[in-house]
Amino acid sequence: MTGLYTSSIEMVEVSPRDGLQNEKREIATADKLALISRAISAGTRRIEVTSFVNPRAVPQMADAEAVCAALPSRDDVTYIGLVMNQRGADRALATRRIDQLGAVAVTTDTFAMANQGQSSDGSVDAARAIIEMARASGRTGQATIAASFGCPFEGEVAEDRVLAMALAIAEAGAVEIGLADTIGVANPAHVARLVARVREAIAPLPVRVHFHNTRGTGLANVWAALGAGAVTVDASIGGLGGCPFAPGAAGNVATEDVVNMLERAGIATGLNLAALIETNHWLAGVMDRRLPGMVAHTPAFPAAA
Ligand code: ZN
């Protein structure tokens, strides 16, 4: 394979947070914990378990503390809590169960205002402060740059803007920079170019990628990102997900679809495809609807002996 493909990559399971945050009907805390346990059983070793945001803005995440209190005790699993500001970071750190703070910086002022009530520069400052708080308390911090490939309100986003944000956040001591296609407008050529530029700029810090499949380009973008040197991929079991503040946002790439693609291409993910598919079906029962992931609805290949 031409490119920077490695023999194994890391996956981050984001279904308990990104996957569920946009669901209208309340998901029971016990079901969230069952989802987390199932993901860990399927091999997940890094998982975004919740977000510490204003429960009036994102009611589905109002049980963040309750979820954290009941997380399985696993030294080999990194639990990520998403936070937008110092108040959220304080809450996450107070649970004593969050290993890593995930901050979010947004590329444009309009989306930053809708998503977190601040300017784009303000979101970079906030991400830096969150990362410093994580470090000061012996945890790690990373940030995701939302709308790296396009903004729901302002359209195209300059690559230089993303690069400058990545550098500013890396300087604060982030352990990783994530590039997110929050609204699913990225194409593989754009992804390959921007991942390569950011990777070179922040090396040796790793680049994580986060794609939504809004327009069907999610898996192609994952493949392009890995070829350009990204080493970690966010995904959501069942392809659940969406941003409450981005009009038309659809699901994340489905974990089981990414795993199917990569494992068949010879790239190890550490995840068990059959267990993920079973979890898709279980989660569909919880949500009472068919989930958008694809491989969970097809016959096994090769057929089981
Ligand atoms: Zn997302």
Side-chain angles (χ1 to χ4, degrees):
M1 296 183 280
T2 315
L4 300 175
Y5 295 99
T6 48
S7 58
S8 67
I9 60 116
E10 176 190 51
M11 298 206 41
V12 176
E13 181 58 40
V14 300
S15 53
R17 198 281 305 174
D18 203 351
L20 297 181
Q21 69 177 6
N22 212 25
E23 291 297 324
K24 295 288 171 282
R25 80 177 223 216
E26 190 183 334
I27 309 296
T29 305
D31 285 331
K32 295 177 184 176
L33 287 160
L35 173 60
I36 290 165
S37 289
R38 282 171 174 270
I40 293 170
S41 296
T44 298
R45 291 298 173 264
R46 223 177 132 197
I47 181 163
E48 205 174 74
V49 289
T50 189
S51 63
F52 296 86
V53 293
N54 186 337
R56 282 191 303 278
V58 189
Q60 193 64 258
M61 296 290 117
D63 60 354
E65 277 81 2
V67 168
C68 287
L71 285 172
S73 290
R74 294 281 301 237
D75 290 342
D76 58 342
V77 176
T78 300
Y79 293 125
I80 303 168
L82 192 84
V83 302
M84 301 289 187
N85 51 36
Q86 183 173 342
R87 185 188 156 80
D90 279 333
R91 283 177 59 200
L93 294 171
T95 67
R96 314 191 74 81
R97 301 304 307 277
I98 293 295
D99 303 302
Q100 184 169 80
L101 298 186
V104 179
V106 183
T107 54
T108 66
D109 287 332
T110 316
F111 191 26
M113 200 55 73
N115 198 57
Q116 51 212 65
Q118 58 194 174
S119 66
S120 174
D121 282 343
S123 74
V124 172
D125 291 342
R128 289 171 55 97
I130 288 162
I131 288 159
E132 279 157 14
M133 286 174 73
R135 295 176 72 199
S137 64
R139 307 332 199 271
T140 55
Q142 39 87 358
T144 298
I145 301 179
S148 282
F149 302 92
C151 168
F153 306 104
E154 298 187 25
E156 304 290 351
V157 168
E159 291 176 22
D160 287 345
R161 173 64 188 154
V162 180
L163 220 63
M165 291 171 71
L167 279 169
I169 296 166
E171 260 175 24
V175 295
E176 171 191 81
I177 299 292
L179 300 179
D181 183 20
T182 313
I183 53 168
V185 290
N187 68 76
H190 188 179
V191 168
R193 201 166 59 235
L194 186 59
V195 167
R197 288 189 68 190
V198 171
R199 186 185 64 80
E200 280 163 26
I202 66 169
L205 276 194
V207 174
R208 174 173 45 82
V209 287
H210 180 108
F211 294 115
H212 283 258
N213 201 34
T214 320
R215 292 169 179 80
T217 53
L219 286 181
N221 290 336
V222 168
W223 188 251
L226 296 179
V231 290
T232 301
V233 178
D234 285 357
S236 177
I237 292 169
L240 281 178
C243 173
F245 311 105
N252 291 275
V253 286
T255 308
E256 62 274 18
D257 292 355
V258 175
V259 167
N260 174 65
M261 175 179 79
L262 295 182
E263 297 276 345
R264 286 190 56 76
I267 297 175
T269 61
L271 301 187
N272 179 315
L273 180 59
L276 293 171
I277 289 173
E278 198 192 311
T279 300
N280 171 308
H281 297 158
W282 168 82
L283 192 53
V286 171
M287 318 287 283
D288 199 23
R289 61 182 164 89
R290 181 185 161 115
L291 304 184
M294 298 187 79
V295 76
H297 306 298
T298 61
F301 183 86

Short mmCIF file of all heavy atoms in Angstrom, two decimals, residues 128 181 193 201 225 280 291:
data_model
loop_
_atom_site.label_atom_id
_atom_site.label_comp_id
_atom_site.label_asym_id
_atom_site.label_seq_id
_atom_site.Cartn_x
_atom_site.Cartn_y
_atom_site.Cartn_z
N ARG A 128 -6.57 25.16 25.47
CA ARG A 128 -5.24 25.22 26.11
C ARG A 128 -5.38 25.18 27.64
O ARG A 128 -4.64 24.46 28.32
CB ARG A 128 -4.51 26.49 25.68
CG ARG A 128 -4.05 26.45 24.21
CD ARG A 128 -3.53 27.83 23.77
NE ARG A 128 -2.49 28.33 24.63
CZ ARG A 128 -1.16 28.22 24.38
NH1 ARG A 128 -0.75 27.61 23.29
NH2 ARG A 128 -0.28 28.70 25.24
N ASP A 181 -14.38 16.10 11.11
CA ASP A 181 -15.29 16.52 10.04
C ASP A 181 -16.70 16.45 10.62
O ASP A 181 -17.46 15.52 10.35
CB ASP A 181 -15.14 15.59 8.83
CG ASP A 181 -16.01 16.03 7.66
OD1 ASP A 181 -16.42 17.21 7.63
OD2 ASP A 181 -16.28 15.19 6.78
N ARG A 193 -4.45 15.71 2.43
CA ARG A 193 -3.63 16.93 2.42
C ARG A 193 -3.54 17.53 3.83
O ARG A 193 -2.47 17.84 4.32
CB ARG A 193 -4.27 17.91 1.44
CG ARG A 193 -3.37 18.99 0.91
CD ARG A 193 -4.03 19.65 -0.29
NE ARG A 193 -5.33 20.24 0.06
CZ ARG A 193 -6.48 19.97 -0.56
NH1 ARG A 193 -6.51 19.14 -1.60
NH2 ARG A 193 -7.61 20.52 -0.17
N ALA A 201 3.40 19.33 11.11
CA ALA A 201 3.53 20.52 11.96
C ALA A 201 3.66 20.16 13.43
O ALA A 201 4.39 20.83 14.17
CB ALA A 201 2.33 21.44 11.75
N ALA A 225 -6.95 9.26 5.59
CA ALA A 225 -6.26 9.81 6.77
C ALA A 225 -5.14 8.89 7.23
O ALA A 225 -4.04 9.35 7.57
CB ALA A 225 -7.27 10.02 7.90
N ASN A 280 -24.08 -3.75 18.08
CA ASN A 280 -24.96 -2.96 17.20
C ASN A 280 -26.40 -3.45 17.36
O ASN A 280 -27.33 -2.65 17.55
CB ASN A 280 -24.48 -3.10 15.74
CG ASN A 280 -25.46 -2.50 14.73
OD1 ASN A 280 -26.64 -2.81 14.73
ND2 ASN A 280 -24.95 -1.64 13.84
N LEU A 291 -29.93 0.69 13.27
CA LEU A 291 -28.84 1.66 13.31
C LEU A 291 -28.16 1.73 11.94
O LEU A 291 -28.18 0.78 11.18
CB LEU A 291 -27.84 1.28 14.40
CG LEU A 291 -28.47 1.12 15.79
CD1 LEU A 291 -27.40 0.85 16.84
CD2 LEU A 291 -29.27 2.36 16.17
#
